[in-house]
Amino acid sequence: MATVIEPSSRAATAQSEFHTVACPGMGCHQNCPLRAEVRDGRLVGLGAAPVPGSPDDTHACLRGLAAVELPYIPQRLKHPMRRVGARGEGRWERISWDEAYRDIAARLIEIRDTHGPQAVLMHGSGSSSVPLSGVNAGGATGRFANLFGCTEIVGWPVDGAPYVAGLAHYGFFFGGANDPRDWVNAKLIIIWGENMAESAMRDFNHVMRARAAGAKLIVISPLYDATAAKADWWIPIEPATDGALALALTHLLIDSGQYDADYVRRYTVAPFLVRADNGQFLRTGDIGASGSADAYVVWDEAAGTTGAPVAMPAHTSELPGVRPALRASVNVAGIACRTAFDLLAERAGQYTPQRASALCKIPEAAIRKLAQEYAAARPSTIKIGIGATRTLHGDLNARAILALGSLTGDVGRSGGGASGWCRAYAPMLNPDPVYAADGRRSRRLHISQGHHTIVTGEPWPIKAMLVFATNPFGSLPNRRTWVEDILPKLDFVVAVDIVESDTAHHADLVLPGTTIFERTDLYTGLGCTILSEQAIAPQHEAKSDLDIMSELARRVGLGEFFTQGTDDYLRAMLDHPTQHGLTLERLREAGGMVRAPGTDAPAISFADKRFPTPSGRMEFYVEYLHAIGEALPDHRPPREIGDPALAARYPLQFFTGRRKFVNQSQSYQRSTRELNPLPYLRLNPLDAQARGLADDDWVRVFNQRGEFRVRVQRSEGIRPGTAWIEHGWWPKDFPHGHYQDLLPPLNLPAPDMLSASFAVYWGMWKQYAETAASPGLAPYGLADQVFDVRVEVERAQEAAA
């Protein structure tokens, strides 16, 4: 195995050359650039690439450093292969690239002519193995999909809920969080439902710098993990009750007056009057007032002895001489109204510390103490992790936390904020020169809707699937659904990957793709534009996405649209105002990274207090969600966790989590597998004792959907009533079954997924879908239910069934 050390610590030799490359483990979304050392054409070392203007962002973790082995792993796909046995048998014959192109082109043309081009589904690329937005990271495949007329999968299967909440509350998916470099100015940091110390290591470095500067760190999570171990206070919350805790804290702050009333009055919808009859904001047109008919109405408590209604135009924070009331219940022109703040206070008042204690299984005194500490520490930052939202109604949990964060005046302030996103500003790339061609657009489906479409054939049949750099069979719920329901509906499946993943294992044709070290691409992050330069030649017969799609396009009659090379597309992608004229040549001269002008200082989200919501304010009350009863955040029990009958049969809540050894489902490297060779189910000792289980016992983990077998490990770091396993293990790592078999499948009928996730995304994306001529573009965030799972655990007499 190559020795992994910092290239800067090794004296350069005549044989050594260095390249800036993207970390291949980008599923953590840290986007860390690495410095690759190549000697005699072989990758021999990886280290952290210095980030210009931000030395504190220079970082490399175990997953990234271990990728030095990636091009040379024994499992590497070496040449195209055609299935010769039944699907899933793993019997293959080696074929040439010419044969592979001929077979694929013939099948695509046949399916297009019989069922229409939309019957071909393009699925990929996966974010854990490629840089975002590049020509070889969805660009070339997207271009082909647009030209051919394929159905293209968009969106993520999970993790959308915090961003749904951000869209509703801030008007922007990723709003509310400052550049992590600014966290050093926080007095208190709350990490709510995320193991950042192992899943977002570079960002967590900034948390630790803040803590060293005097900030207090509080972690709210069912797990005592590496992040909780670094905290000043760990709060072991009952899973899926995060909204109840946030609303209890909101109640205590409002009840005690420990909120910034002027800030709330000016920058949130708090003073807007809400009609009692229809749940909509009162507009001037409703009461026949002069001026714009769509202005909001507030109650001016400074007017006369009783106050008076006053028009408040959207995107206006204050009016001279007007003091909008925060708490008011009034009748305006015969319409009963209350302020949005009054409604929030009433909703939060339903979650007294006593009730929240019972729901969250946290002592009442701890809830009161947390409210006091949050109210007293200014400024404070709340980082919402996806672990707090991966159940039905998880978006409501996140919205409740954002509502809490809007009370203290910290959003838009250095050291403050509340969000599910915490990335530094990055300049934008222009994807149109790659994706767009000849004015054609693919049909686009959210990943959940796409799988439902395959199974049902509605609204159109899907007969073929091309999968690039992603492993849905092994990484998405529910594997049995993929194998038993989805796969039989597909006449032809092609997988492009670097190894025979579980998805490739069930394909008809498998093509060897390139690693990040074997191709060139662009991405942005950390305030920089980053050129991930090809460091080594493609190993064996591997080809890049652009190479594959260019030749395939030629064979289906689209070759005229694939005549340019990688550099041509990358130059075109740099044509964006935020790039300030940056050229590919300048990037290469600078060693692969150039910082965008004005980004040396950490960006403060919404420093101008201007929010891209309909009102121009933070909206903890979202009027267009009133129709589904979710105008205000709330705590709603998830479907399975909250089912008493199901709890009687399967008393343990089951969930997964990422650890430092594995990125998504990538676990190929020998070094990381040696450090973490076996999967374990972790149980609290009380639950293990009740089942007569000791460490290393084989157990059967099961529910109404499936089962798997695994060894058990007792841990005080997981709260009673839960069962937890690391995410990323492949089916071959278990003697029987797979943990994904226990999860609810993605292709649930749409009515089962009706929630604010659906309403917000569909409502806000509908115009985009129509403008982009993309019929079928659905919101993502619908399937955030992978932690809404109940199981039972029992001793297994033997490892295999």
Side-chain angles (χ1 to χ4, degrees):
M1 185 186 80
T3 302
V4 182
I5 61 174
E6 291 282 350
S8 59
S9 67
R10 188 190 282 120
T13 68
Q15 291 78 31
S16 292
E17 58 185 59
F18 297 94
H19 302 268
T20 296
V21 295
C23 176
M26 293 184 73
C28 66
H29 308 295
Q30 296 288 276
N31 295 1
C32 298
L34 302 178
R35 185 73 74 188
E37 181 181 0
V38 177
R39 190 179 300 161
D40 296 328
R42 185 177 179 87
L43 181 67
V44 297
L46 287 173
V51 177
S54 183
D56 286 345
D57 273 330
T58 300
H59 177 75
C61 73
L62 171 67
R63 292 187 293 260
L65 296 176
V68 69
E69 305 169 18
L70 196 57
Y72 315 111
I73 54 176
Q75 308 96 309
R76 188 78 192 267
L77 290 173
K78 298 177 175 60
H79 42 253
M81 298 189 298
R82 180 194 291 126
R83 176 177 59 84
V84 295
R87 281 175 171 169
E89 281 188 351
R91 295 171 56 202
W92 306 96
E93 64 174 349
R94 177 176 178 175
I95 60 175
S96 67
W97 272 102
D98 182 68
E99 290 177 282
Y101 287 134
R102 184 187 63 207
D103 287 0
I104 297 170
R107 295 299 298 272
L108 295 189
I109 291 171
E110 176 190 359
I111 291 169
R112 180 193 63 190
D113 292 346
T114 304
H115 303 283
Q118 71 276 6
V120 176
L121 182 73
M122 192 73 71
H123 199 317
S125 293
S127 67
S128 60
S129 59
V130 291
L132 310 179
S133 305
V135 64
N136 285 303
T141 55
R143 184 179 183 86
F144 182 91
N146 282 335
L147 288 162
F148 192 82
C150 302
T151 296
E152 193 173 6
I153 287 291
V154 296
W156 300 315
V158 294
D159 308 346
Y163 315 127
V164 171
L167 181 60
H169 189 83
Y170 296 118
F172 180 56
F173 300 107
F174 308 134
N178 297 347
D179 184 324
R181 293 178 297 166
D182 177 66
W183 290 350
V184 71
N185 298 313
K187 300 301 182 186
L188 173 67
I189 296 177
I190 299 176
I191 299 177
W192 202 317
E194 182 173 3
N195 182 13
M196 291 184 69
E198 294 186 277
S199 65
M201 299 179 190
R202 192 194 66 248
D203 286 344
F204 193 68
N205 286 341
H206 295 297
V207 174
M208 297 309 292
R209 290 187 180 97
R211 192 163 180 263
K216 185 169 185 176
L217 175 61
I218 297 175
V219 171
I220 303 173
S221 170
L223 288 174
Y224 186 79
D225 49 31
T227 305
K230 296 292 186 182
D232 297 284
W233 186 12
W234 170 51
I235 302 176
I237 192 171
E238 176 78 358
T241 64
D242 308 88
L245 177 58
L247 286 165
L249 298 174
T250 297
H251 165 65
L252 288 169
L253 263 63
I254 293 175
D255 195 53
S256 64
Q258 293 179 293
Y259 61 94
D260 189 330
D262 183 62
Y263 179 92
V264 169
R265 183 178 287 111
R266 297 176 64 189
Y267 303 121
T268 79
V269 293
F272 289 0
L273 293 178
V274 179
R275 297 178 55 145
D277 55 356
N278 62 12
Q280 302 300 293
F281 290 125
L282 184 70
R283 301 303 208 283
T284 48
D286 297 335
I287 59 176
S290 59
S292 173
D294 60 357
Y296 299 91
V297 179
V298 300
W299 190 257
D300 181 13
E301 60 186 8
T305 57
T306 59
V310 174
M312 178 69 75
H315 303 279
T316 302
S317 61
E318 58 183 334
L319 295 172
V322 174
R323 180 179 172 83
L326 290 178
R327 305 292 295 266
S329 179
V330 295
N331 189 294
V332 182
I335 303 173
C337 300
R338 294 171 65 187
T339 62
F341 190 74
D342 211 37
L343 294 172
L344 176 65
E346 180 183 63
R347 173 62 53 81
Q350 297 170 7
Y351 295 90
T352 63
Q354 297 91 333
R355 184 184 179 205
S357 176
L359 289 168
C360 305
K361 295 183 171 56
I362 298 171
E364 181 183 337
I367 296 174
R368 293 184 181 276
K369 178 184 175 185
L370 179 58
Q372 285 295 324
E373 294 204 8
Y374 182 64
R378 303 267 66 81
S380 293
T381 288
I382 300 177
K383 172 63 176 71
I384 307 171
I386 57 178
T389 63
R390 279 180 158 177
T391 60
L392 187 65
H393 309 307
D395 50 304
L396 289 175
N397 288 342
R399 285 180 55 207
I401 298 170
L402 295 181
L404 171 67
S406 68
L407 297 181
T408 55
D410 286 333
V411 176
R413 179 183 181 188
S414 177
S419 179
W421 191 253
C422 61
R423 304 294 176 259
Y425 165 83
M428 302 293 291
L429 295 170
N430 179 11
D432 286 347
V434 182
Y435 286 87
D438 199 33
R440 307 185 202 180
R441 301 289 298 191
S442 64
R443 293 176 180 260
R444 312 181 81 187
L445 294 173
H446 172 256
I447 189 169
S448 305
Q449 187 183 10
H451 300 164
H452 188 63
T453 296
I454 296 173
V455 173
T456 64
E458 297 293 336
W460 55 80
I462 301 291
K463 295 298 181 180
M465 181 169 70
L466 278 60
V467 183
F468 283 77
T470 190
N471 180 23
F473 282 38
S475 61
L476 300 180
N478 168 292
R479 182 178 178 274
R480 287 181 59 188
T481 296
W482 278 96
V483 175
E484 298 174 8
D485 299 333
I486 296 175
L487 190 61
K489 298 288 186 178
L490 297 168
D491 296 339
F492 189 53
V493 178
V494 178
V496 182
D497 212 322
I498 63 172
V499 298
E500 187 181 331
S501 67
D502 198 35
T503 303
H505 185 68
H506 289 86
D508 301 302
L509 272 178
V510 176
L511 306 179
T514 51
T515 68
I516 198 68
F517 309 114
E518 299 161 350
R519 61 180 185 261
T520 297
D521 227 321
L522 277 174
Y523 74 107
T524 64
L526 308 174
C528 300
T529 300
I530 305 168
L531 178 67
S532 181
E533 193 80 77
Q534 180 177 337
I536 58 174
Q539 302 297 295
H540 313 292
E541 296 182 31
K543 293 184 182 293
S544 70
D545 287 5
L546 182 59
D547 289 338
I548 294 171
M549 301 318 295
S550 296
E551 179 60 23
L552 192 58
R554 186 182 70 80
R555 294 183 182 233
V556 299
L558 298 171
E560 64 181 295
F561 300 105
F562 279 85
T563 59
Q564 294 180 292
T566 296
D567 280 7
D568 298 314
Y569 288 116
L570 299 186
R571 288 189 178 95
M573 290 175 72
L574 289 170
D575 183 17
H576 192 277
T578 63
Q579 296 292 344
H580 300 279
L582 180 64
T583 64
L584 195 60
E585 289 70 26
R586 170 75 182 99
L587 263 173
R588 288 194 167 116
E589 290 171 3
M593 269 188 287
V594 172
R595 176 166 289 280
T599 64
D600 288 337
I604 309 302
S605 184
F606 301 125
D608 59 1
K609 311 299 188 299
R610 295 171 183 251
F611 302 93
T613 57
S615 66
R617 297 164 173 244
M618 287 182 277
E619 296 195 355
F620 56 73
Y621 187 96
V622 185
E623 61 179 342
Y624 55 84
L625 293 179
H626 178 267
I628 58 172
E630 296 184 359
L632 285 166
D634 202 355
H635 162 70
R636 294 188 178 178
R639 178 174 17 226
E640 292 197 5
I641 299 175
D643 184 342
L646 205 60
R649 295 172 58 196
Y650 309 111
L652 300 172
Q653 190 219 347
F654 177 70
F655 60 110
T656 64
R658 190 184 301 167
R659 296 291 296 275
K660 59 180 174 291
F661 303 107
V662 178
N663 181 73
Q664 306 292 32
S665 62
Q666 292 185 20
S667 56
Y668 325 127
Q669 293 91 343
R670 186 185 69 188
S671 57
T672 52
R673 288 304 294 255
E674 288 175 349
L675 292 169
N676 194 42
L678 296 172
Y680 280 91
L681 182 80
R682 286 165 172 85
L683 291 178
N684 186 275
L686 294 176
D687 293 318
Q689 181 180 10
R691 291 161 177 79
L693 300 174
D695 286 345
D696 288 317
D697 281 350
W698 282 100
V699 294
R700 172 178 173 252
V701 188
F702 63 97
N703 65 9
Q704 72 274 29
R705 284 181 288 269
E707 67 174 71
F708 70 102
R709 308 228 172 173
V710 68
R711 294 184 186 272
V712 72
Q713 187 176 79
R714 297 172 299 171
S715 173
E716 294 279 3
I718 181 169
R719 65 169 301 126
T722 59
W724 180 86
I725 193 170
E726 296 169 349
H727 175 73
W729 297 102
W730 287 25
K732 65 183 180 181
D733 294 315
F734 300 92
H736 175 71
H738 190 245
Y739 64 87
Q740 298 281 29
D741 294 342
L742 280 61
L743 275 56
L746 288 179
N747 62 326
L748 293 169
D752 284 352
M753 294 185 285
L754 183 59
S755 68
S757 299
F758 182 88
V760 173
Y761 270 93
W762 182 250
M764 299 300 285
W765 278 87
K766 189 172 185 293
Q767 182 178 0
Y768 166 78
E770 292 171 349
T771 303
S774 303
L777 176 60
Y780 59 79
L782 301 184
D784 289 320
Q785 301 172 49
V786 293
F787 286 2
D788 190 5
V789 179
R790 284 197 167 276
V791 303
E792 178 57 293
V793 176
E794 65 182 19
R795 182 189 297 275
Q797 298 302 316
E798 54 188 20

